[in-house]
Amino acid sequence: MVRPPDMQARPSPSRSTEAHRGGDLPPWLSLACAHPGTHRSVMRYLRYLAPGLAHLGPAPVRLVLHVVAPEEIPGIPPDATALAPRGRYEVARLGRDLFYSLAGQGCVRLDPGEGVASIWMAYDPTNDPDLVSGLVSIAVLEVASARGFFGLHAGAVTRGGSGYLLPGASGSGKTSLCLTLVREGFRYLTDDFVLLTVGEGTVRCVPLFRTFNLDVAWAERFSELSFVQDLPSLPHGKRMLDLERCYPGAHAGVARPAFLVFPTIVTQPDSTARRISKREAFCRLLPQSRVSADARVAEAHVRALEVLVRDCVAFELQHGRDFLRAPAETVRRVTESLNQGESLNQGESPNQGESLNQGESLNQGESLNQGAAAPGSR
Amino acid sequence: MPENRLIKNPSVVCTDMDDGAVLLDLETTAYYSLNRTARRIWNFLDETPTLDGIATRLTSEFEVDYEPALASARRVVTTLEHERLIRTEPA
């Protein structure tokens, strides 16, 4: 494949330890925090989310962070109505306020409609580094949802005006697949998290953040990324990089999805792509969706997913050992079949023509995957 | 003899698809995939919220006899009730 000159990979000009430059924060977003170290951490995380935050204004968003002793962290008020837990968090509602509580570690109280959130966090140097980002992301994503931007764990790339969403949990292969697609001339939005918004009857997606968290072993396959191992290591051993540094012009700020590709890593020799029904696609989207605890907002999120599924062709992609051996070739083969709407290495067909008494009438899926790791913390 | 009425849980959102539907309970966050038959039964609940009413509609829609239709309806309704997606009210 020959890519246009501005897309050709080039070695990094320098092995700077500054792997990425966070974005500027919008003027309508304010953060108050009296603890300098925590203030710096939160500002760093918010800059990381700058691509997504940019869409949430111009109505103000105000975050107030309190660093306190564990016993001073407020609990959920006794007169609040308990809602379904989200991961490790207890959730409740009192009037317009939502509460997310992680006993002894942190609490978020927010009015998403007003864009105001108070966050209490226990000061402890041994705290899980993801605790700060987890609490802040709860506030950010609830406000985003209230403003019509709905969170989805998904990589996103685009080519020729068509967006490809790759929804999936951590470890499903989103990053390696997105990176390989970028090297094949696709443009990227993000490797991990998008915000969906509905306008004029269709869905667009924007990245919540644009940096990739790269597995060093995977990145080292590509000569232009050989410097990645010298970047500061994240807690999980990966390296953070804005791909624009190596692939100038490759970043895209928005995409209109036309394909849903659900990746999984398998041990089989050959990769397979199987077309799936819209119902199956919808059920696969739900666990990757960060749905608000506010029922009215959650329903709007569900309607956005309905539009997304309506507008997209959906596939399950199982990438096998051929992807490790020859990622570019495998990806080319797979994307060709996606564009032709075919299944590659034909799997099951979607269920068709059911009559009465045929098959399972009602299948229960998982509960929504809520309160999972904060976007970008992987 | 009047039949019990079947009432949908107001916290459940239904999303129709070509080959069925997905129900999401916004209170519990649990979601359920319905095939075409179960989706029709769910939709029937708005207009004919009794087992007899559902079975009668199934007979015309699927060209099936009343007894098998009633058995199917009962099976689906029992599951919906067990999962608290509907509740039963005395007539």
Side-chain angles (χ1 to χ4, degrees):
Chain A
M1 145 131 201
V2 176
R3 281 177 277 137
D6 64 337
M7 290 290 291
Q8 285 174 357
R10 66 180 187 210
S12 169
S14 66
R15 294 191 170 187
S16 165
T17 56
E18 185 60 43
H20 70 100
R21 189 169 54 83
D24 293 329
L25 294 186
W28 40 262
L29 172 65
S30 67
L31 169 68
C33 176
H35 190 268
T38 305
H39 187 277
R40 277 194 299 275
S41 293
V42 175
M43 283 299 290
R44 195 177 317 129
Y45 185 62
L46 290 174
R47 284 196 198 96
Y48 171 66
L49 302 185
L53 292 174
H55 299 276
L56 303 188
V61 176
R62 187 161 173 262
L63 304 178
V64 180
L65 212 101
H66 311 273
V67 182
V68 298
E71 59 272 17
E72 292 177 42
I73 295 176
I76 291 176
D79 52 343
T81 303
L83 303 175
R86 300 293 211 253
R88 298 182 300 160
Y89 291 86
E90 285 180 65
V91 184
R93 174 178 206 111
L94 182 62
R96 291 192 330 201
D97 286 353
L98 294 175
F99 295 83
Y100 283 75
S101 173
L102 191 59
Q105 295 184 58
C107 178
V108 182
R109 175 177 186 154
L110 68 152
D111 180 342
E114 289 297 313
V116 175
S118 294
I119 301 170
W120 288 264
M121 203 183 80
Y123 174 72
D124 182 348
T126 64
N127 255 343
D128 178 352
D130 289 340
L131 177 63
V132 171
S133 53
L135 294 168
V136 172
S137 72
I138 285 170
V140 166
L141 291 174
E142 280 287 357
V143 170
S145 294
R147 296 185 181 187
F149 287 84
F150 306 112
L152 178 69
H153 277 280
V157 296
T158 178
R159 182 170 71 175
S162 291
Y164 295 69
L165 276 186
L166 286 67
S170 297
S172 57
K174 301 191 298 292
T175 301
S176 49
L177 194 49
C178 286
L179 174 60
T180 308
L181 288 166
V182 169
R183 300 187 79 254
E184 288 300 302
F186 283 69
R187 301 182 72 198
Y188 71 94
L189 281 73
T190 178
D191 70 332
D192 193 62
F193 206 95
V194 296
L195 299 174
L196 304 174
T197 188
V198 180
E200 297 173 350
T202 60
V203 171
R204 290 177 302 129
C205 65
V206 297
L208 181 60
F209 47 82
R210 58 187 272 171
T211 51
F212 276 42
N213 279 5
L214 296 176
D215 178 84
V216 173
W218 185 258
E220 283 179 340
R221 294 163 165 264
F222 311 116
S223 59
E224 73 275 14
L225 297 177
S226 59
F227 70 96
V228 163
Q229 61 180 329
D230 296 331
L231 295 173
S233 177
L234 298 170
H236 36 62
K238 293 186 178 178
R239 309 296 198 269
M240 184 182 291
L241 178 67
D242 185 344
L243 293 195
E244 186 78 13
R245 179 173 169 181
C246 297
Y247 312 105
H251 187 253
V254 63
R256 184 162 288 176
F259 295 92
L260 292 170
V261 181
F262 295 89
T264 54
I265 298 173
V266 297
T267 56
Q268 281 93 313
D270 296 323
S271 297
T272 60
R274 174 179 71 92
R275 182 126 177 223
I276 62 175
S277 70
K278 292 186 185 292
R279 178 163 53 121
E280 184 176 350
F282 188 87
C283 287
R284 288 190 181 219
L285 285 172
L286 284 175
Q288 307 309 325
S289 301
R290 288 289 287 264
V291 178
S292 172
D294 179 299
R296 187 184 53 83
V297 175
E299 188 168 353
H301 191 152
V302 169
R303 294 300 161 231
L305 295 179
E306 183 180 5
V307 175
L308 177 66
V309 165
R310 182 199 70 198
D311 289 351
C312 290
V313 180
F315 291 85
E316 173 190 65
L317 168 61
Q318 296 188 339
H319 37 115
R321 295 202 301 273
D322 54 345
F323 186 67
L324 295 175
R325 192 177 60 247
E329 185 188 306
T330 305
V331 150
R332 264 178 240 139
R333 198 162 55 89
V334 168
T335 50
E336 249 177 57
S337 71
L338 299 191
N339 283 312
Q340 289 164 15
E342 293 170 2
S343 290
L344 181 68
N345 300 351
Q346 295 282 334
E348 288 175 32
S349 308
N351 230 352
Q352 291 191 3
E354 288 171 25
S355 60
L356 198 59
N357 295 337
Q358 193 172 54
E360 200 71 51
S361 294
L362 193 155
N363 281 319
Q364 182 174 6
E366 308 163 29
S367 293
L368 300 183
N369 186 16
Q370 294 292 312
S377 65
R378 296 155 284 160
Chain B
M1 180 173 151
E3 270 197 82
N4 290 341
R5 286 172 53 86
L6 306 169
I7 313 291
K8 288 181 179 178
N9 182 334
S11 71
V12 173
V13 173
C14 177
T15 304
D16 277 331
M17 301 283 156
D18 286 350
D19 63 340
V22 178
L23 302 181
L24 170 62
D25 186 336
L26 294 177
E27 273 191 7
T28 64
T29 73
Y31 63 94
Y32 305 83
S33 174
L34 276 63
N35 66 8
R36 285 195 183 92
T37 308
R39 180 189 65 185
R40 294 303 291 138
I41 292 172
W42 177 264
N43 289 342
F44 290 158
L45 288 171
D46 293 323
E47 293 169 13
T48 51
T50 61
L51 266 178
D52 172 67
I54 293 169
T56 303
R57 292 194 68 169
L58 285 174
T59 57
S60 56
E61 192 151 319
F62 289 92
E63 295 184 2
V64 66
D65 291 338
Y66 179 82
E67 287 304 327
L70 183 64
S72 283
R74 184 171 284 124
R75 220 172 13 248
V76 173
V77 164
T78 299
T79 306
L80 291 173
E81 194 171 6
H82 180 261
E83 299 297 331
R84 301 190 182 183
L85 302 172
I86 64 172
R87 72 175 196 279
T88 303
E89 258 185 19

